[in-house]
């Protein structure tokens, strides 16, 4: 497993969700830190077929950290099988939707199915307490992130207060989890969210043509996001 690359500065990493190997190449060439396999036509956490994820890993896995979403299983018992299928692709990280009502045993089984490379995704509109963070850590998850479920134009910051996001990231740090923030983010969101010091910021729609996550990735937008993050790193280093 390749760890999330450590930049020379403390800036958050840029995660770009891609739907196929060609988009993965584009994201990689544009400088994405993490290339995330996802089907944007199938909801917030739509899983791609495992063969499509294997093709993405084969194309870019040697040069960039990869992740893939395993979906939003309906039941706790479905977590581990979904995760195992995606882990078999050789991706560096698997992401799966988790809920606070999932039993600890099911969370631990899912983490084991990913061989220590599972990231739990929480949705901003759901009610969850911060105690989910130590529970995920204890279950063997590698990270936790917040995303938005309804891709209806509302951004992460429309659903959660800055203090809530800061507390989530701090809890992840305190419990040794990689942290991520996502949810219809735009390049303009980067400075405020980066101030919380998450491990990465995740994008799809904001980096696609016309800001529509079902459209193709726009390399100029990927570059703009990366430049915004690098500028923060330069400012911190100054
Ligand atoms: O993991 C990040 C997501 O792909 C974010 O998608 P979105 O920017 O369209 O909400």
């Amino acid at each position: 497993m390749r760890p999330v690359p450590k930049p020379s500065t403390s800036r958050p990493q840029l995660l770009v969700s891609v739907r196929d190997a060609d988009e993965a190449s584009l994201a990689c060439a544009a400088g994405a830190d993490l290339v995330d396999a996802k089907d944007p036509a199938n909801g917030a956490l739509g899983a791609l077929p495992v063969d499509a994820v294997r093709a993405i890993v084969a194309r870019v896995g040697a040069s960039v950290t990869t992740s893939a979403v395993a979906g939003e299983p309906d039941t706790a018992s479905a977590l581990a099988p979904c995760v195992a299928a995606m882990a078999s692709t050789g991706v560096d990280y698997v992401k799966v939707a988790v809920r606070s009502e999932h039993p600890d045993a099911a969370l631990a089984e899912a983490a084991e199915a990913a061989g220590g490379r599972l990231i739990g995704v929480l949705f901003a509109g759901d009610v969850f307490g911060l105690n989910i963070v130590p529970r995920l850590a204890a279950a063997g998850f590698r990270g936790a992130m917040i995303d938005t479920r309804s891709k209806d134009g509302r951004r992460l910051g429309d659903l959660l207060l800055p203090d809530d996001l800061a507390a989530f990231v701090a809890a992840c740090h305190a419990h040794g989890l990689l942290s991520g923030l996502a949810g219809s983010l735009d390049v303009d969101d980067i400075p405020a969210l980066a101030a919380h010091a998450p491990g990465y910021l995740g994008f799809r729609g904001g980096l696609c043509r016309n800001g529509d996550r079902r459209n193709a990735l726009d390399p100029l937008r990927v570059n703009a996001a990366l430049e915004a993050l690098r500028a923060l790193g330069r400012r911190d280093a100054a």
Side-chain angles (χ1 to χ4, degrees), residues 16-233:
V16 179
S17 294
V18 303
R19 60 187 175 191
D20 57 35
D22 287 346
E23 281 198 349
S25 294
L26 184 156
C28 194
D33 301 300
L34 286 124
V35 170
D36 175 52
K38 172 187 284 189
D39 180 1
N42 192 16
L45 275 192
L48 286 168
V50 290
D51 284 349
V53 178
R54 283 199 182 97
I56 289 169
V57 173
R59 184 79 69 87
V60 301
S63 36
V64 73
T65 304
T66 55
S67 62
V69 304
E72 299 175 50
D74 289 336
T75 61
S77 60
L79 276 171
C82 290
V83 166
M86 214 40 88
S88 74
T89 61
V91 77
D92 293 309
Y93 293 102
V94 178
K95 294 160 58 188
V96 73
V98 292
R99 296 197 293 268
S100 51
E101 58 266 32
H102 284 151
D104 288 342
L107 294 175
E109 201 186 334
E112 192 177 345
R117 49 199 163 116
L118 189 58
I119 294 176
V121 183
L122 297 150
F123 287 117
D126 291 354
V127 177
F128 59 86
L130 278 185
N131 71 327
I132 188 71
V133 173
R135 285 182 58 210
L136 293 176
F141 278 59
R142 175 66 186 87
M145 68 176 288
I146 302 180
D147 198 343
T148 55
R149 176 182 276 119
S150 307
K151 303 300 182 183
D152 57 7
R154 288 179 298 170
R155 301 185 197 176
L156 180 65
D158 297 325
L159 296 171
L160 284 175
L161 295 169
D163 282 355
D164 295 327
L165 299 174
F168 174 77
V169 172
C172 288
H173 286 166
H175 292 280
L177 292 182
L178 174 65
S179 58
L181 298 176
S184 300
L185 303 184
D186 194 74
V187 173
D188 293 347
D189 291 312
I190 288 176
L193 293 178
H196 304 312
Y200 62 85
L201 294 176
F203 289 80
R204 172 69 197 177
L207 304 187
C208 291
R209 297 192 197 288
N210 303 320
D212 184 334
R213 71 201 308 270
R214 294 160 302 181
N215 287 346
L217 273 181
D218 180 342
L220 294 179
R221 288 182 184 233
V222 181
N223 272 314
L226 197 63
E227 262 317 298
L229 284 163
R230 285 179 176 156
L232 295 170

Side-chain angles (χ1 to χ4, degrees), residues 2-26:
R2 181 188 300 101
V4 172
K6 294 272 183 230
S8 54
T9 65
S10 58
R11 72 164 174 85
Q13 303 291 278
L14 176 65
L15 176 147
V16 179
S17 294
V18 303
R19 60 187 175 191
D20 57 35
D22 287 346
E23 281 198 349
S25 294
L26 184 156

